[in-house]
Amino acid sequence: MQAVVIEGGRLRWRERPDPVPGPDEIVVRVAAAGLNGADIMQAAGHYPPPPGVPADQPGLELAGVVEQVGGAVRSFVPGDAVMALMAGAAQAELAVVHAGHALAVPQGMTMQEAGGFPEAYCTAHDALFTQARLGMGERVLVTGAAGGVGTAAVQLAVAAGASVVASARDEGGHAALAALGAEPAAPAQALAMGPFDVVLELVGAPGLPGALGSLARWGRVVLIGASAGARCEIDVSVMMQRRAALRASTLRNRTLEEKAGVVQALGHHVLSLVSRGRVKVAVDATYPFDEPQDAYDHFSRGGKFGKVVLVAQGGRA
Ligand SMILES: NC(=O)c1ccc[n+]([C@@H]2O[C@H](COP(=O)([O-])OP(=O)(O)OC[C@H]3O[C@@H](n4cnc5c(N)ncnc54)[C@H](OP(=O)(O)O)[C@@H]3O)[C@@H](O)[C@H]2O)c1
């Protein structure tokens, strides 16, 4: 098979051995695979994958058709359309996937959308609902809202009945964020639109003092991204006055069981919203698998709305 491979910091389409499934795994013929910030960092040599995952093969999410199943797998059969969360090596013709990390692609969802769904939606759903325990009618701020995780989080929070402020520095995305049901705002204005019950901080540590200061009593901040920096100074009295909670997490390094829990919770709560058209992956651009560098360059330029997705030629759309 062929796969996206990192060679000297550049992305190439190269020959690799076909993967073989273990008892709890499935082999998927990949139709589409979304890009994520972690892929960009991995290509630059800054984000080694967990043990057991090839260091030169990026890709955290995919969609495609099951080709083989391991001996212990009962949830899928060859021919099923699935999408899956991966620890790496998703951007390839064939990928081996833990069966518990895969979901059936629901009616009405294209393979391009499905290929950009698992990582962004697992991250957003886990942060908002499992970690921050977002409730009906609460007020939410999502920073970095025009990206893959941000557009997912905005839609999930709106679907859950929250009132959502979406902060994005590129005003070109504001109309599209409003169309998703959020109040768009420039980062400098968004904090004044609180108080917020939940802030999903996708930009980085420099946003934390403002996020904590914008909280309502018993408010929660969940930090997921640190592209703007990993350090800041926090006045804990601001947290104490608000009885605030601050959480931070990564998804990729969790155990197989923890990740299966995140994926299955997403499937249980969100797939019916997808099939009813209440939630739809925002795809900014697609590129053929054999032109990965162009896709990575597009992602790295910024200014996109939603996901960049690599797609197989001639596969199911
Ligand atoms: N912890 C985890 O498990 C986990 C999982 C997935 C993603 N992440 C991280 O979470 C973040 C969001 O992921 P994503 O997939 O949504 O990434 P993305 O698609 O690249 O979106 C990032 C968004 O943040 C904006 N942004 C970046 N730097 C900014 C800054 N200094 N000030 C204001 N806005 C800024 C970008 O705006 P521009 O387009 O204008 O640059 C973009 O809209 C990334 O850092 C990613 O690495 C973490």
Side-chain angles (χ1 to χ4, degrees), residues 85 118-119 122-123 126 249-255 259 262:
L85 186 69
E119 172 73 12
C122 279
T123 300
D126 180 73
S249 71
T250 62
L251 186 56
R252 191 186 201 184
N253 292 334
R254 295 191 204 180
T255 65
K259 281 198 245 190
V262 172

Side-chain angles (χ1 to χ4, degrees), residues 43 80 97 106 128 130 170 173 217 244 253 257 265 271-272 282 308:
D80 285 348
V97 173
L128 286 176
T130 305
D170 180 358
R217 283 197 192 124
N253 292 334
E257 291 74 20
L271 288 191
S272 65
V308 175

Side-chain angles (χ1 to χ4, degrees), residues 3-225:
V4 174
V5 169
I6 301 164
E7 282 181 3
R10 306 286 292 171
L11 286 308
R12 307 286 185 217
W13 187 236
R14 295 283 189 250
E15 198 64 33
R16 283 289 145 115
D18 284 5
V20 178
D24 297 316
E25 293 174 330
I26 58 179
V27 174
V28 177
R29 181 158 294 275
V30 182
L35 267 61
N36 287 280
D39 302 326
I40 309 295
M41 288 192 280
Q42 187 175 336
H46 300 317
Y47 194 6
V53 179
D56 63 348
Q57 280 186 251
L60 299 180
E61 57 188 353
L62 59 75
V65 176
V66 176
E67 199 153 287
Q68 284 180 62
V69 301
V73 174
R74 300 286 172 264
S75 42
F76 298 107
V77 295
D80 285 348
V82 295
M83 51 192 175
L85 186 69
M86 303 279 291
Q91 295 162 4
E93 284 180 313
L94 294 171
V96 67
V97 173
H98 191 278
H101 299 172
L103 296 169
V105 176
Q107 282 277 316
M109 189 183 216
T110 67
M111 279 293 183
Q112 294 175 8
E113 292 164 353
F117 179 82
E119 172 73 12
Y121 277 77
C122 279
T123 300
H125 184 264
D126 180 73
L128 286 176
F129 298 98
T130 305
Q131 299 196 52
R133 303 202 173 279
L134 177 64
M136 285 177 71
E138 288 197 312
R139 190 149 173 87
V140 181
L141 170 62
V142 178
T143 70
V149 179
T151 51
V154 164
Q155 293 185 68
L156 294 178
V158 168
S163 84
V164 182
V165 175
S167 141
R169 64 178 167 186
D170 180 358
E171 296 202 0
H174 283 194
L177 288 166
L180 297 181
E183 296 169 65
Q189 275 81 56
L191 293 174
M193 294 165 75
F196 298 105
D197 300 295
V198 172
V199 177
L200 179 55
E201 178 54 63
L202 297 175
V203 171
L208 281 183
L212 291 165
S214 75
L215 287 180
R217 283 197 192 124
W218 298 109
R220 294 85 75 196
V221 174
V222 184
L223 181 136
I224 291 299

